PDB file of all heavy atoms in Angstrom:
ATOM      1  N   GLN A 174       2.619  -6.204  11.518  1.00 88.00           N
ATOM      2  CA  GLN A 174       3.391  -5.964  12.758  1.00 88.00           C
ATOM      3  C   GLN A 174       4.923  -6.371  12.604  1.00 88.00           C
ATOM      4  O   GLN A 174       5.749  -5.759  13.206  1.00 88.00           O
ATOM      5  CB  GLN A 174       2.726  -6.724  13.883  1.00 88.00           C
ATOM      6  CG  GLN A 174       1.379  -6.175  14.341  1.00 88.00           C
ATOM      7  CD  GLN A 174       0.679  -6.981  15.443  1.00 88.00           C
ATOM      8  OE1 GLN A 174       1.141  -7.910  15.851  1.00 88.00           O
ATOM      9  NE2 GLN A 174      -0.449  -6.548  15.922  1.00 88.00           N
ATOM     10  N   SER A 175       5.125  -7.335  11.736  1.00 86.00           N
ATOM     11  CA  SER A 175       6.482  -7.944  11.543  1.00 86.00           C
ATOM     12  C   SER A 175       7.170  -7.263  10.310  1.00 86.00           C
ATOM     13  O   SER A 175       8.185  -7.864   9.858  1.00 86.00           O
ATOM     14  CB  SER A 175       6.555  -9.351  11.525  1.00 86.00           C
ATOM     15  OG  SER A 175       5.625  -9.861  10.417  1.00 86.00           O
ATOM     16  N   ASN A 176       6.664  -6.312   9.619  1.00 86.00           N
ATOM     17  CA  ASN A 176       7.266  -5.670   8.519  1.00 86.00           C
ATOM     18  C   ASN A 176       7.266  -4.266   8.494  1.00 86.00           C
ATOM     19  O   ASN A 176       6.541  -3.508   9.146  1.00 86.00           O
ATOM     20  CB  ASN A 176       6.393  -6.158   7.149  1.00 86.00           C
ATOM     21  CG  ASN A 176       6.682  -7.544   6.774  1.00 86.00           C
ATOM     22  OD1 ASN A 176       7.520  -7.822   6.033  1.00 86.00           O
ATOM     23  ND2 ASN A 176       5.854  -8.487   7.344  1.00 86.00           N
ATOM     24  N   ASN A 177       8.317  -3.689   7.793  1.00 84.00           N
ATOM     25  CA  ASN A 177       8.432  -2.277   7.733  1.00 84.00           C
ATOM     26  C   ASN A 177       7.688  -1.766   6.515  1.00 84.00           C
ATOM     27  O   ASN A 177       8.083  -2.136   5.361  1.00 84.00           O
ATOM     28  CB  ASN A 177       9.948  -1.928   7.568  1.00 84.00           C
ATOM     29  CG  ASN A 177      10.296  -0.509   7.366  1.00 84.00           C
ATOM     30  OD1 ASN A 177       9.324   0.438   7.566  1.00 84.00           O
ATOM     31  ND2 ASN A 177      11.436  -0.002   7.283  1.00 84.00           N
ATOM     32  N   LEU A 178       6.650  -0.914   6.693  1.00 85.00           N
ATOM     33  CA  LEU A 178       5.794  -0.715   5.605  1.00 85.00           C
ATOM     34  C   LEU A 178       6.389   0.403   4.842  1.00 85.00           C
ATOM     35  O   LEU A 178       5.881   0.665   3.706  1.00 85.00           O
ATOM     36  CB  LEU A 178       4.346  -0.144   6.239  1.00 85.00           C
ATOM     37  CG  LEU A 178       3.515  -1.247   6.736  1.00 85.00           C
ATOM     38  CD1 LEU A 178       2.146  -0.589   7.026  1.00 85.00           C
ATOM     39  CD2 LEU A 178       3.315  -2.314   5.815  1.00 85.00           C
ATOM     40  N   GLU A 179       7.485   1.026   5.135  1.00 87.00           N
ATOM     41  CA  GLU A 179       8.065   2.029   4.358  1.00 87.00           C
ATOM     42  C   GLU A 179       8.506   1.540   3.057  1.00 87.00           C
ATOM     43  O   GLU A 179       8.550   2.265   1.972  1.00 87.00           O
ATOM     44  CB  GLU A 179       9.199   2.720   5.031  1.00 87.00           C
ATOM     45  CG  GLU A 179       8.896   3.545   6.315  1.00 87.00           C
ATOM     46  CD  GLU A 179      10.033   4.289   6.802  1.00 87.00           C
ATOM     47  OE1 GLU A 179      11.154   3.999   6.251  1.00 87.00           O
ATOM     48  OE2 GLU A 179       9.814   4.859   7.878  1.00 87.00           O
ATOM     49  N   SER A 180       8.855   0.234   2.892  1.00 87.00           N
ATOM     50  CA  SER A 180       9.159  -0.361   1.617  1.00 87.00           C
ATOM     51  C   SER A 180       8.142  -1.088   0.938  1.00 87.00           C
ATOM     52  O   SER A 180       8.410  -1.731  -0.042  1.00 87.00           O
ATOM     53  CB  SER A 180      10.486  -1.336   1.928  1.00 87.00           C
ATOM     54  OG  SER A 180      10.093  -2.171   2.755  1.00 87.00           O
ATOM     55  N   ILE A 181       7.022  -1.068   1.532  1.00 93.00           N
ATOM     56  CA  ILE A 181       5.910  -1.942   0.961  1.00 93.00           C
ATOM     57  C   ILE A 181       4.872  -1.040   0.352  1.00 93.00           C
ATOM     58  O   ILE A 181       4.569   0.044   0.796  1.00 93.00           O
ATOM     59  CB  ILE A 181       5.206  -2.774   2.092  1.00 93.00           C
ATOM     60  CG1 ILE A 181       6.134  -3.669   2.768  1.00 93.00           C
ATOM     61  CG2 ILE A 181       4.013  -3.571   1.470  1.00 93.00           C
ATOM     62  CD1 ILE A 181       6.652  -4.697   1.999  1.00 93.00           C
ATOM     63  N   GLU A 182       4.282  -1.391  -0.940  1.00 94.00           N
ATOM     64  CA  GLU A 182       3.590  -0.507  -1.644  1.00 94.00           C
ATOM     65  C   GLU A 182       2.097  -1.010  -1.675  1.00 94.00           C
ATOM     66  O   GLU A 182       1.106  -0.309  -1.792  1.00 94.00           O
ATOM     67  CB  GLU A 182       3.989  -0.358  -3.084  1.00 94.00           C
ATOM     68  CG  GLU A 182       5.364   0.266  -3.222  1.00 94.00           C
ATOM     69  CD  GLU A 182       5.791   0.228  -4.662  1.00 94.00           C
ATOM     70  OE1 GLU A 182       5.035   0.455  -5.581  1.00 94.00           O
ATOM     71  OE2 GLU A 182       7.087   0.070  -4.838  1.00 94.00           O
ATOM     72  N   GLY A 183       1.852  -2.312  -1.262  1.00 95.00           N
ATOM     73  CA  GLY A 183       0.550  -2.762  -1.386  1.00 95.00           C
ATOM     74  C   GLY A 183       0.443  -4.251  -0.750  1.00 95.00           C
ATOM     75  O   GLY A 183       1.474  -4.743  -0.370  1.00 95.00           O
ATOM     76  N   VAL A 184      -0.729  -4.714  -0.816  1.00 96.00           N
ATOM     77  CA  VAL A 184      -0.981  -6.193  -0.241  1.00 96.00           C
ATOM     78  C   VAL A 184      -1.814  -6.952  -1.362  1.00 96.00           C
ATOM     79  O   VAL A 184      -2.795  -6.382  -1.760  1.00 96.00           O
ATOM     80  CB  VAL A 184      -1.727  -6.145   1.027  1.00 96.00           C
ATOM     81  CG1 VAL A 184      -1.933  -7.621   1.533  1.00 96.00           C
ATOM     82  CG2 VAL A 184      -0.990  -5.405   2.009  1.00 96.00           C
ATOM     83  N   ILE A 185      -1.332  -8.103  -1.724  1.00 95.00           N
ATOM     84  CA  ILE A 185      -2.122  -8.932  -2.538  1.00 95.00           C
ATOM     85  C   ILE A 185      -2.724 -10.095  -1.571  1.00 95.00           C
ATOM     86  O   ILE A 185      -2.180 -10.636  -0.825  1.00 95.00           O
ATOM     87  CB  ILE A 185      -1.221  -9.753  -3.510  1.00 95.00           C
ATOM     88  CG1 ILE A 185      -0.547  -8.770  -4.486  1.00 95.00           C
ATOM     89  CG2 ILE A 185      -1.979 -10.779  -4.271  1.00 95.00           C
ATOM     90  CD1 ILE A 185      -1.497  -8.103  -5.543  1.00 95.00           C
ATOM     91  N   VAL A 186      -4.233  -9.967  -1.839  1.00 95.00           N
ATOM     92  CA  VAL A 186      -4.945 -10.820  -1.076  1.00 95.00           C
ATOM     93  C   VAL A 186      -5.612 -12.019  -1.843  1.00 95.00           C
ATOM     94  O   VAL A 186      -6.437 -11.637  -2.635  1.00 95.00           O
ATOM     95  CB  VAL A 186      -6.140 -10.158  -0.293  1.00 95.00           C
ATOM     96  CG1 VAL A 186      -6.805 -11.053   0.843  1.00 95.00           C
ATOM     97  CG2 VAL A 186      -5.565  -9.003   0.656  1.00 95.00           C
ATOM     98  N   ALA A 187      -5.198 -13.242  -1.643  1.00 94.00           N
ATOM     99  CA  ALA A 187      -5.775 -14.237  -2.505  1.00 94.00           C
ATOM    100  C   ALA A 187      -7.291 -14.280  -2.429  1.00 94.00           C
ATOM    101  O   ALA A 187      -7.830 -14.090  -1.531  1.00 94.00           O
ATOM    102  CB  ALA A 187      -5.222 -15.613  -2.058  1.00 94.00           C
ATOM    103  N   GLY A 188      -7.803 -14.364  -3.686  1.00 92.00           N
ATOM    104  CA  GLY A 188      -9.287 -14.408  -3.814  1.00 92.00           C
ATOM    105  C   GLY A 188      -9.931 -13.068  -3.678  1.00 92.00           C
ATOM    106  O   GLY A 188     -11.129 -13.079  -3.982  1.00 92.00           O
ATOM    107  N   ILE A 189      -9.280 -11.950  -3.344  1.00 92.00           N
ATOM    108  CA  ILE A 189      -9.908 -10.630  -3.081  1.00 92.00           C
ATOM    109  C   ILE A 189      -9.391  -9.699  -4.069  1.00 92.00           C
ATOM    110  O   ILE A 189     -10.086  -9.062  -4.930  1.00 92.00           O
ATOM    111  CB  ILE A 189      -9.509 -10.214  -1.700  1.00 92.00           C
ATOM    112  CG1 ILE A 189     -10.136 -11.242  -0.649  1.00 92.00           C
ATOM    113  CG2 ILE A 189     -10.143  -8.854  -1.386  1.00 92.00           C
ATOM    114  CD1 ILE A 189     -11.591 -11.441  -0.638  1.00 92.00           C
ATOM    115  N   GLY A 190      -8.080  -9.306  -4.137  1.00 92.00           N
ATOM    116  CA  GLY A 190      -7.563  -8.401  -4.946  1.00 92.00           C
ATOM    117  C   GLY A 190      -6.388  -7.693  -4.279  1.00 92.00           C
ATOM    118  O   GLY A 190      -5.650  -8.172  -3.681  1.00 92.00           O
ATOM    119  N   LEU A 191      -6.120  -6.322  -4.723  1.00 94.00           N
ATOM    120  CA  LEU A 191      -4.977  -5.656  -4.366  1.00 94.00           C
ATOM    121  C   LEU A 191      -5.448  -4.461  -3.335  1.00 94.00           C
ATOM    122  O   LEU A 191      -6.434  -3.837  -3.519  1.00 94.00           O
ATOM    123  CB  LEU A 191      -4.384  -4.911  -5.566  1.00 94.00           C
ATOM    124  CG  LEU A 191      -3.333  -3.789  -5.318  1.00 94.00           C
ATOM    125  CD1 LEU A 191      -2.065  -4.424  -4.727  1.00 94.00           C
ATOM    126  CD2 LEU A 191      -2.947  -3.081  -6.504  1.00 94.00           C
ATOM    127  N   LEU A 192      -4.606  -4.272  -2.395  1.00 96.00           N
ATOM    128  CA  LEU A 192      -4.823  -3.189  -1.320  1.00 96.00           C
ATOM    129  C   LEU A 192      -3.605  -2.320  -1.535  1.00 96.00           C
ATOM    130  O   LEU A 192      -2.580  -2.661  -1.152  1.00 96.00           O
ATOM    131  CB  LEU A 192      -4.950  -3.668   0.058  1.00 96.00           C
ATOM    132  CG  LEU A 192      -6.102  -4.662   0.369  1.00 96.00           C
ATOM    133  CD1 LEU A 192      -5.993  -5.048   1.855  1.00 96.00           C
ATOM    134  CD2 LEU A 192      -7.373  -4.018   0.071  1.00 96.00           C
ATOM    135  N   ALA A 193      -3.717  -1.175  -2.207  1.00 95.00           N
ATOM    136  CA  ALA A 193      -2.734  -0.187  -2.169  1.00 95.00           C
ATOM    137  C   ALA A 193      -2.955   0.891  -1.109  1.00 95.00           C
ATOM    138  O   ALA A 193      -4.034   1.130  -0.669  1.00 95.00           O
ATOM    139  CB  ALA A 193      -2.707   0.542  -3.479  1.00 95.00           C
ATOM    140  N   PHE A 194      -1.766   1.434  -0.435  1.00 96.00           N
ATOM    141  CA  PHE A 194      -2.078   2.277   0.645  1.00 96.00           C
ATOM    142  C   PHE A 194      -1.010   3.388   0.665  1.00 96.00           C
ATOM    143  O   PHE A 194       0.098   3.239   0.294  1.00 96.00           O
ATOM    144  CB  PHE A 194      -2.109   1.372   1.890  1.00 96.00           C
ATOM    145  CG  PHE A 194      -0.918   0.502   2.092  1.00 96.00           C
ATOM    146  CD1 PHE A 194       0.221   0.946   2.676  1.00 96.00           C
ATOM    147  CD2 PHE A 194      -1.015  -0.688   1.732  1.00 96.00           C
ATOM    148  CE1 PHE A 194       1.367   0.207   2.825  1.00 96.00           C
ATOM    149  CE2 PHE A 194       0.088  -1.637   1.827  1.00 96.00           C
ATOM    150  CZ  PHE A 194       1.327  -1.133   2.471  1.00 96.00           C
ATOM    151  N   HIS A 195      -1.414   4.497   1.444  1.00 95.00           N
ATOM    152  CA  HIS A 195      -0.450   5.535   1.519  1.00 95.00           C
ATOM    153  C   HIS A 195      -1.232   6.548   2.464  1.00 95.00           C
ATOM    154  O   HIS A 195      -2.319   6.584   2.808  1.00 95.00           O
ATOM    155  CB  HIS A 195      -0.066   6.229   0.197  1.00 95.00           C
ATOM    156  CG  HIS A 195       1.130   7.081   0.371  1.00 95.00           C
ATOM    157  ND1 HIS A 195       1.208   8.361   0.850  1.00 95.00           N
ATOM    158  CD2 HIS A 195       2.617   6.737   0.026  1.00 95.00           C
ATOM    159  CE1 HIS A 195       2.518   8.666   0.807  1.00 95.00           C
ATOM    160  NE2 HIS A 195       3.314   7.934   0.348  1.00 95.00           N
ATOM    161  N   ASP A 196      -0.338   7.399   2.966  1.00 94.00           N
ATOM    162  CA  ASP A 196      -0.972   8.477   3.942  1.00 94.00           C
ATOM    163  C   ASP A 196      -1.496   9.616   3.124  1.00 94.00           C
ATOM    164  O   ASP A 196      -2.270  10.554   3.606  1.00 94.00           O
ATOM    165  CB  ASP A 196       0.006   9.160   4.919  1.00 94.00           C
ATOM    166  CG  ASP A 196       0.234   8.103   6.204  1.00 94.00           C
ATOM    167  OD1 ASP A 196      -0.756   7.498   6.468  1.00 94.00           O
ATOM    168  OD2 ASP A 196       1.443   8.043   6.693  1.00 94.00           O
ATOM    169  N   GLU A 197      -1.252   9.658   1.855  1.00 92.00           N
ATOM    170  CA  GLU A 197      -1.784  10.645   0.871  1.00 92.00           C
ATOM    171  C   GLU A 197      -2.685   9.924  -0.134  1.00 92.00           C
ATOM    172  O   GLU A 197      -2.339   8.931  -0.602  1.00 92.00           O
ATOM    173  CB  GLU A 197      -0.612  11.360   0.202  1.00 92.00           C
ATOM    174  CG  GLU A 197       0.300  12.066   1.125  1.00 92.00           C
ATOM    175  CD  GLU A 197      -0.435  13.365   1.679  1.00 92.00           C
ATOM    176  OE1 GLU A 197      -1.327  13.877   1.288  1.00 92.00           O
ATOM    177  OE2 GLU A 197       0.183  13.744   2.892  1.00 92.00           O
ATOM    178  N   ALA A 198      -3.948  10.430  -0.302  1.00 90.00           N
ATOM    179  CA  ALA A 198      -4.898   9.890  -1.210  1.00 90.00           C
ATOM    180  C   ALA A 198      -4.436   9.755  -2.663  1.00 90.00           C
ATOM    181  O   ALA A 198      -4.544   8.688  -3.245  1.00 90.00           O
ATOM    182  CB  ALA A 198      -6.229  10.652  -1.259  1.00 90.00           C
ATOM    183  N   GLU A 199      -3.645  10.771  -3.143  1.00 89.00           N
ATOM    184  CA  GLU A 199      -3.137  10.616  -4.510  1.00 89.00           C
ATOM    185  C   GLU A 199      -2.168   9.539  -4.699  1.00 89.00           C
ATOM    186  O   GLU A 199      -2.135   8.775  -5.671  1.00 89.00           O
ATOM    187  CB  GLU A 199      -2.451  12.043  -4.944  1.00 89.00           C
ATOM    188  CG  GLU A 199      -1.995  11.892  -6.431  1.00 89.00           C
ATOM    189  CD  GLU A 199      -1.251  13.110  -6.842  1.00 89.00           C
ATOM    190  OE1 GLU A 199      -1.353  14.171  -5.991  1.00 89.00           O
ATOM    191  OE2 GLU A 199      -0.978  13.393  -8.057  1.00 89.00           O
ATOM    192  N   GLN A 200      -1.184   9.338  -3.629  1.00 92.00           N
ATOM    193  CA  GLN A 200      -0.149   8.511  -3.691  1.00 92.00           C
ATOM    194  C   GLN A 200      -0.734   7.032  -3.667  1.00 92.00           C
ATOM    195  O   GLN A 200      -0.291   6.003  -4.323  1.00 92.00           O
ATOM    196  CB  GLN A 200       0.880   8.583  -2.552  1.00 92.00           C
ATOM    197  CG  GLN A 200       1.655   9.817  -2.681  1.00 92.00           C
ATOM    198  CD  GLN A 200       2.395   9.930  -4.073  1.00 92.00           C
ATOM    199  OE1 GLN A 200       2.875   9.042  -4.631  1.00 92.00           O
ATOM    200  NE2 GLN A 200       2.300  11.181  -4.763  1.00 92.00           N
ATOM    201  N   SER A 201      -1.848   6.805  -2.761  1.00 93.00           N
ATOM    202  CA  SER A 201      -2.424   5.520  -2.669  1.00 93.00           C
ATOM    203  C   SER A 201      -3.065   5.165  -4.028  1.00 93.00           C
ATOM    204  O   SER A 201      -2.942   3.936  -4.552  1.00 93.00           O
ATOM    205  CB  SER A 201      -3.519   5.540  -1.609  1.00 93.00           C
ATOM    206  OG  SER A 201      -4.193   4.300  -1.502  1.00 93.00           O
ATOM    207  N   TYR A 202      -3.767   6.118  -4.681  1.00 89.00           N
ATOM    208  CA  TYR A 202      -4.230   5.890  -6.098  1.00 89.00           C
ATOM    209  C   TYR A 202      -3.272   5.490  -7.068  1.00 89.00           C
ATOM    210  O   TYR A 202      -3.528   4.720  -7.707  1.00 89.00           O
ATOM    211  CB  TYR A 202      -5.066   7.146  -6.304  1.00 89.00           C
ATOM    212  CG  TYR A 202      -5.668   7.182  -7.732  1.00 89.00           C
ATOM    213  CD1 TYR A 202      -6.727   6.351  -8.165  1.00 89.00           C
ATOM    214  CD2 TYR A 202      -4.888   7.714  -8.886  1.00 89.00           C
ATOM    215  CE1 TYR A 202      -7.193   6.428  -9.485  1.00 89.00           C
ATOM    216  CE2 TYR A 202      -5.518   7.800 -10.186  1.00 89.00           C
ATOM    217  CZ  TYR A 202      -6.619   7.016 -10.319  1.00 89.00           C
ATOM    218  OH  TYR A 202      -7.042   6.972 -11.708  1.00 89.00           O
ATOM    219  N   LYS A 203      -2.101   6.325  -7.077  1.00 90.00           N
ATOM    220  CA  LYS A 203      -1.095   6.068  -7.956  1.00 90.00           C
ATOM    221  C   LYS A 203      -0.569   4.612  -7.883  1.00 90.00           C
ATOM    222  O   LYS A 203      -0.210   3.832  -8.788  1.00 90.00           O
ATOM    223  CB  LYS A 203       0.038   7.034  -7.851  1.00 90.00           C
ATOM    224  CG  LYS A 203      -0.207   8.415  -8.427  1.00 90.00           C
ATOM    225  CD  LYS A 203       0.940   9.338  -8.221  1.00 90.00           C
ATOM    226  CE  LYS A 203       0.703  10.615  -8.966  1.00 90.00           C
ATOM    227  NZ  LYS A 203       1.917  11.563  -8.756  1.00 90.00           N
ATOM    228  N   ARG A 204      -0.439   4.085  -6.541  1.00 92.00           N
ATOM    229  CA  ARG A 204       0.112   2.869  -6.294  1.00 92.00           C
ATOM    230  C   ARG A 204      -0.907   1.807  -6.873  1.00 92.00           C
ATOM    231  O   ARG A 204      -0.472   0.749  -7.409  1.00 92.00           O
ATOM    232  CB  ARG A 204       0.235   2.584  -4.898  1.00 92.00           C
ATOM    233  CG  ARG A 204       1.472   3.272  -4.364  1.00 92.00           C
ATOM    234  CD  ARG A 204       1.669   2.992  -2.845  1.00 92.00           C
ATOM    235  NE  ARG A 204       2.907   3.457  -2.370  1.00 92.00           N
ATOM    236  CZ  ARG A 204       3.368   3.364  -1.091  1.00 92.00           C
ATOM    237  NH1 ARG A 204       2.677   2.639  -0.157  1.00 92.00           N
ATOM    238  NH2 ARG A 204       4.485   3.796  -0.670  1.00 92.00           N
TER     239      ARG A 204
END
């Protein structure tokens, strides 16, 4: 809620892993 996601490519969650995201499936996979 407090960040502009346009400049964010993913989320690192401690103990869990990487969450990559996009509105297009291919771009999310590429990230």
Side-chain angles (χ1 to χ4, degrees):
Q174 293 176 358
S175 59
N176 281 273
N177 181 3
L178 288 188
E179 290 184 4
S180 61
I181 304 296
E182 300 175 35
V184 180
I185 296 292
V186 184
I189 301 295
L191 167 70
L192 301 177
F194 52 84
H195 199 276
D196 283 324
E197 301 293 335
E199 181 180 4
Q200 295 305 314
S201 182
Y202 173 76
K203 283 183 176 179
R204 287 181 171 183

